[in-house]
């Protein structure tokens, strides 16, 4: 929409408050603020939802891989061949054997349910999702009887580095009186944090050789964890492995293992986008009302312009420019506000918690220990385009009303 010189001058004049037009300017300012808040809210919520999904995906996949070959009965005897064949499969970047078994843990009289995970030492030390809080993962050597436990589990048990934790396995010795649970004590060599509450509350890491001894698996493992170069094509990539593992185990990818969680996040993400879009729609109704009042206040000016030869199209362009400019300024302010909020998001949450005394981000409910964020440029572009489109549509009726003004009727008694 290209404006000539006088059209730009008139549009600029109407954007600024004139004598007796303070109320119209106030309504226009409220419209701008409403658009700003709507755009900022939509960007903030969508970024947090995207960040939540991305953070969960990174943490879950970082520990469980894109897929696992899980042995029937929790045993995979021919795991070396399966792992080697997986590594040779195009698209597979890594194949890691591991053991995972829920057990009970005891420390100084306290008992908690845990998830024991046995991995090769190089895989434990090289896992980037495991952040050491205290101690060292280098102490996890086969036969050293050392383990690493999650930070939340350490809090629940009151455990610390250097203490001894007892793992209780129901698969123990058979006696004339029944099966006696197997209890083995280990030194706490490290306390780590993954960032997902459920993992930090349950995980106990140990060398795979110690896990085989504890669970009496011999040379078998529980599963082989597989990483690929494309998480969305994991089923297609691992299709050649299906024949090899037939009869020994089953292949489960990240979708099937966490389907309910990620589907719920996607539904919530779409629902939040639709609901928050209504805020922007309400904001542009303010633009509509302010433009209608402006047209009524400027009826005499419009009649004079029409008398001086201004075409209807020029008047339409003037009022459309005024409305779109209010919307555009609101969008720019919303982008700035959204960026500032996302940058200081955790500080804002901490401040609100301090003022209200309420725990707004309980890791036991939210899974993650901090408020995540990941801004998608394409989503931001879609939000901007949508807000601009709504603002443009809101100008059509007032602009048409202004262009339809009959100068003869207006100036008859002047």
């Amino acid at each position: 929409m290209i404006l000539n010189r006088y059209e730009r001058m008139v549009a600029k004049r109407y954007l600024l408050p004139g004598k007796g037009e303070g109320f119209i300017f106030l309504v226009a300012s409220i419209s701008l603020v409403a658009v700003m808040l709507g755009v900022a809210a939509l960007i903030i919520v969508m970024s947090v939802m995207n960040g939540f999904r991305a953070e969960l995906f990174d943490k879950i996949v970082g520990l469980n891989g894109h897929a696992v070959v899980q042995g029937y009965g929790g045993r995979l005897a021919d795991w070396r061949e399966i792992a080697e064949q997986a590594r040779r499969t195009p698209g597979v970047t890594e194949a890691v054997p591991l053991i995972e078994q829920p057990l009970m843990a005891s420390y100084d009289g306290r008992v908690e349910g845990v998830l024991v995970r046995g991995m090769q030492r190089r895989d434990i030390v090289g896992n980037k999702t495991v952040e050491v809080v205290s101690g060292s993962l280098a102490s996890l050597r086969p036969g050293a009887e050392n383990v690493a436990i999650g930070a939340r589990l350490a809090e629940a048990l009151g455990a610390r580095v250097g203490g001894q934790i007892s793992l209780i396995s129901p698969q123990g010795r058979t006696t004339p009186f029944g099966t006696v649970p197997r209890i083995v004590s280990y030194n706490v060599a490290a306390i780590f944090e993954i960032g997902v509450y459920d993992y930090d509350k349950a995980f106990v890491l140990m060398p795979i050789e110690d896990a085989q001894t504890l669970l009496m698996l011999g040379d078998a493992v529980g599963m082989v964890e597989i990483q690929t170069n494309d998480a969305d094509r994991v089923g297609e990539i691992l299709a050649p492995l299906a024949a090899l593992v037939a009869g020994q185990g089953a292949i489960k990818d990240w979708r099937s293992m966490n389907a309910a969680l990620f589907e719920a996040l996607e539904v919530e993400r779409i629902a939040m986008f639709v609901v928050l879009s209504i805020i922007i729609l309400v904001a542009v109704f303010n633009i509509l009302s302010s433009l209608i009042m402006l047209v009524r206040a400027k009826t005499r000016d419009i009649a004079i312009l029409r008398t001086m030869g201004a075409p209807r199209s020029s008047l339409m362009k003037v009022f459309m420019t005024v409305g779109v400019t209010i919307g555009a300024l609101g969008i720019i302010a919303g982008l700035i506000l959204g960026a500032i909020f996302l940058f200081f998001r955790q500080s804002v949450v901490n401040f609100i918690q301090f003022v209200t005394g309420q725990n707004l981000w309980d890791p036991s409910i939210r899974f993650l220990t901090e408020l995540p964020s990941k801004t998608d440029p394409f989503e931001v572009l879609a939000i901007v385009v949508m807000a601009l489109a709504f603002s443009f549509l809101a100008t059509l009726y007032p602009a048409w009303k202004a262009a339809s003004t009959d100068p003869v009727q207006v100036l008859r008694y002047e």
Side-chain angles (χ1 to χ4, degrees):
M1 187 165 54
I2 301 175
L3 278 68
N4 57 36
R5 185 177 179 182
Y6 93 87
E7 291 170 347
R8 287 195 300 271
M9 180 190 68
V10 174
K12 182 179 179 182
R13 172 66 184 81
Y14 286 176
L15 278 169
L16 300 174
K19 185 179 180 181
E21 298 170 358
F23 182 71
I24 298 175
F25 179 73
L26 175 63
V27 174
S29 300
I30 292 174
S31 304
L32 189 151
V33 172
V35 173
M36 175 190 72
L37 293 177
V39 170
L42 198 50
I43 290 174
I44 291 167
V45 170
M46 296 308 296
S47 297
V48 169
M49 292 297 296
N50 290 337
F52 200 89
R53 185 184 186 279
E55 194 76 10
L56 272 179
F57 180 82
D58 289 343
K59 301 293 186 182
I60 291 173
V61 168
L63 282 173
N64 299 325
H66 292 157
V68 294
V69 179
Q70 193 164 24
Y72 294 134
R75 290 174 179 264
L76 198 63
D78 199 14
W79 60 270
R80 289 185 177 83
E81 183 181 348
I82 292 173
E84 186 59 33
Q85 186 65 34
R87 294 187 187 101
R88 291 200 297 263
T89 302
V92 174
T93 58
E94 192 175 8
V96 176
L98 59 88
I99 296 170
E100 197 170 87
Q101 183 69 35
L103 299 177
M104 298 296 292
S106 173
Y107 183 92
D108 198 20
R110 298 182 182 181
V111 179
E112 290 285 338
V114 298
L115 191 62
V116 172
R117 171 172 280 223
M119 303 173 67
Q120 292 179 328
R121 185 172 180 272
R122 65 173 183 273
D123 297 323
I124 296 176
V125 176
N127 197 317
K128 297 179 180 179
T129 60
V130 177
E131 182 180 344
V132 177
V133 176
S134 60
S136 174
L137 295 177
S139 302
L140 302 184
R141 294 185 298 271
E145 296 185 344
N146 291 331
V147 297
I149 65 175
R152 306 296 177 184
L153 178 60
E155 291 177 6
L157 292 173
R160 61 184 183 275
V161 174
Q164 276 203 335
I165 185 173
S166 297
L167 297 179
I168 306 167
S169 172
Q171 298 177 351
R173 293 178 292 110
T174 302
T175 69
F177 303 99
T179 302
V180 178
R182 182 177 173 82
I183 303 176
V184 182
S185 296
Y186 295 91
N187 300 314
V188 179
I191 296 175
F192 63 86
E193 189 171 282
I194 296 169
V196 178
Y197 181 86
D198 287 354
Y199 292 166
D200 292 335
K201 181 72 164 54
F203 267 19
V204 174
L205 297 180
M206 64 171 57
I208 196 169
E209 294 85 355
D210 291 353
Q212 288 172 331
T213 302
L214 172 65
L215 300 173
M216 297 184 295
L217 291 176
D219 189 44
V221 302
M223 64 188 75
V224 174
E225 174 192 292
I226 297 174
Q227 297 277 5
T228 67
N229 56 15
D230 188 350
D232 294 324
R233 295 180 53 248
V234 63
E236 178 184 340
I237 292 172
L238 297 182
L241 278 178
L244 180 64
V245 302
Q248 300 183 65
I251 299 177
K252 296 182 179 179
D253 61 26
W254 64 271
R255 288 190 185 90
S256 60
M257 290 188 290
N258 307 280
L261 175 61
F262 286 106
E263 285 179 9
L265 286 175
E266 188 63 24
V267 170
E268 186 176 359
R269 178 172 165 271
I270 295 172
M272 292 301 293
F273 184 88
V274 173
V275 171
L276 291 175
S277 297
I278 298 175
I279 298 178
I280 299 177
L281 190 59
V282 172
V284 299
F285 273 106
N286 289 331
I287 296 177
L288 174 65
S289 61
S290 65
L291 285 179
I292 290 175
M293 286 190 293
L294 181 62
V295 169
R296 290 182 65 86
K298 298 295 184 181
T299 301
R300 187 170 178 275
D301 293 0
I302 294 169
I304 293 173
L305 288 172
R306 291 283 289 119
T307 303
M308 295 174 63
R312 295 176 184 271
S313 59
S314 292
L315 294 175
M316 286 196 69
K317 286 193 289 184
V318 166
F319 284 94
M320 289 169 68
T321 300
V322 172
V324 171
T325 301
I326 294 173
L329 291 175
I331 291 169
I332 293 172
L335 291 173
I336 295 172
L337 178 62
I340 293 173
F341 185 94
L342 290 173
F343 185 78
F344 295 104
R345 62 188 183 279
Q346 194 59 43
S347 300
V348 172
V349 172
N350 294 337
F351 175 75
I352 296 175
Q353 290 182 155
F354 175 76
V355 172
T356 62
Q358 299 294 321
N359 187 2
L360 301 179
W361 193 261
D362 186 354
S364 63
I365 300 174
R366 310 293 184 183
F367 292 102
L368 303 179
T369 53
E370 290 188 353
L371 182 66
S373 172
K374 182 181 180 181
T375 304
D376 186 348
F378 294 103
E379 277 189 353
V380 173
L381 180 61
I383 292 169
V384 170
V385 170
M386 180 184 67
L388 277 175
F390 284 167
S391 301
F392 174 77
L393 292 174
T395 65
L396 294 180
Y397 175 74
W400 174 79
K401 197 69 175 174
S404 301
T405 301
D406 185 357
V408 176
Q409 295 295 328
V410 175
L411 300 176
R412 175 178 294 177
Y413 302 106
E414 294 292 332

